[in-house]
Amino acid sequence: MEKRWHQYVMTAVSAALVVGTWLFWWLLYPHALSYQEQYQLFLWSGDYLAERLSVPGGLADWLGELIVQFYYVEWLGALLLGALFWLIHQAAWRALRSLSATRRPWLFYVSLLPPLFLLWLMGDESVLLSLPVAVLMTLGAAALMGRLSRGPAARAAAWADVLMLPALYWLAGPVVWLYVLLRVGQQGWRHLWAAPWVAAVQFAAYAWLLPQWPLPAVLWGQGYYRTPLAWPRMAGGFDSEKYELIREDYLVRHERWDELIERAKTRQVRTPFSSVCVNLALAQKRQLADRMFDFYQSGEDALLMPRVRDLTSMLPTAEAFWRLGMVNSAQRYMFDTQESILNGRNSGRCTKRIAECMIVNGHYQTARKQLALLKQSLFYRSWALEAEALLGQEQLIAAHPVYGRLRQLRYKEDFLYSHAEIDKMLGLLFMNNHDNKMALDYFLGQLLLKGDVQGFANYLQWAQQYGGYSRMPLGYQDAVNCIRERGNVQGSPYGNYVRQMTERRRQP
């Protein structure tokens, strides 16, 4: 009876691990799944698999990316993560049981520590899924060899490690050292020969197969962490501000403008990135002129950030450029973002937007190259086929609700981009097409952000003439009142912004 009760408890714990992991990612951190998915483009091709298998840890890397592509459908990706963590738990349990000749029920609960530790470690957004996959492969191999070592094939199993260790190193990467520790635990100190053997395999791989790699990359791997030559910082945890910014970009990507605005009322992070996201949401709901200064504004970069060569900063600005009709700038920002992915992967999100920019600009041959990549993927394939049918079809593109409108909004003449004169470029964009209400809102908003009082006063009539407002927007009324009273207006949102910027300039 006691044994049966214990089995019920073990089953319940295993089920709780799967369901808990699934709900954790799906309901609490869907934006983290989207973040991981957008920085890779898994291709269903032999060349893609061969490229991954050509380096240590390649199979773990390939399997990790295979799972991550399903993050595109958040509930499904989260469910696959739940299954993966359950497999890690089961493999850890069997590997731990092989360390002792007697059954120890408490080892079942100890085996929960690896998946829980990995969950905590994945709070670092740069930790790649190849690490949990590699751990699973290593634990599974140790559990299998531990079982064989107790049967008639014990001697053969010990010798099989001579081949298992280099194979596991090449397929799973340097996590093979975990296998060495477990095998020593299973076989005793006489199995310590495995440690110098693995070291010899790694140095041989460096000398003969990977001389172009830095030695630390060979010894510690470069497929587990997005930053080359870096190992997970063991900082773990889920930083609330960092993940709030990731969530804001996620909401921008999926055009969930109302949710983004509502969250910003209480959770806005005081960074330019956040200001760009919130302002874009306000603009899409046609609330920017009324409510812009009700939210945190970082300064002149609060509407459109200058180029920053990192993984994420330029994404919301690229999305704003796209919707404004500044197609070339959107393409440049997306391309720079993709080139900033430090582990050299393509981005499904960036590749798709780059292809769209090329279609709008009529660069069909280069667009075809981007679409050829997307057609080898699972979740971007159908879109790529639809987009490919538009190439060269000018009438279809002109009738397209997005591409046709952007062709009407974009600049009619070429000129050099200068972020220092972004207000002038926004004004010119609006002059090219007076139906571009977003460009008008951004132009007047940029004048207020930089404190160009005279320019705002001169062009405010554009809002009355072309803005389509039934009344002067509240934000503009507040700004005019604040300017007239030289900032001496109690509770003025724009007055608060001006004081904030004045104090910042005074700081050394």
Side-chain angles (χ1 to χ4, degrees), residues 119-188:
L119 175 63
W120 171 77
L121 196 63
M122 289 173 66
D124 182 344
E125 77 285 354
S126 293
V127 172
L128 303 177
L129 197 63
S130 54
L131 177 59
V133 171
V135 170
L136 172 61
M137 294 170 64
T138 303
L139 291 172
L144 175 63
M145 295 301 291
R147 184 173 183 179
L148 294 177
S149 297
R150 296 190 181 281
R155 185 178 297 273
W159 283 103
D161 279 337
V162 175
L163 298 177
M164 173 66 79
L165 288 167
L168 192 58
Y169 165 66
W170 199 262
L171 296 177
V175 169
V176 69
W177 284 100
L178 174 61
Y179 178 85
V180 172
L181 293 176
L182 290 171
R183 289 295 285 151
V184 170
Q186 293 167 351
Q187 298 292 95

Side-chain angles (χ1 to χ4, degrees), residues 291-308:
R291 304 179 62 191
M292 178 176 178
F293 292 97
D294 291 344
F295 298 88
Y296 170 76
Q297 301 298 329
S298 59
E300 294 184 36
D301 54 0
L303 285 170
L304 299 167
M305 288 178 60
R307 295 168 72 181
V308 180

Side-chain angles (χ1 to χ4, degrees), residues 55-96:
V55 298
L59 181 60
D61 202 9
W62 186 83
L63 290 172
E65 292 186 346
L66 173 69
I67 296 172
V68 168
Q69 71 174 325
F70 289 97
Y71 291 0
Y72 193 89
V73 182
E74 293 152 12
W75 70 265
L76 179 57
L79 185 60
L80 291 176
L81 272 178
L84 175 64
F85 276 51
W86 178 81
L87 288 172
I88 293 172
H89 164 51
Q90 294 295 312
W93 181 34
R94 284 159 175 75
L96 289 173

Side-chain angles (χ1 to χ4, degrees), residues 38-56:
Q38 72 184 14
Y39 292 122
Q40 68 164 57
L41 180 59
F42 184 88
L43 303 181
W44 291 91
S45 70
D47 290 342
Y48 192 81
L49 174 60
E51 180 183 354
R52 295 294 175 268
L53 295 180
S54 65
V55 298

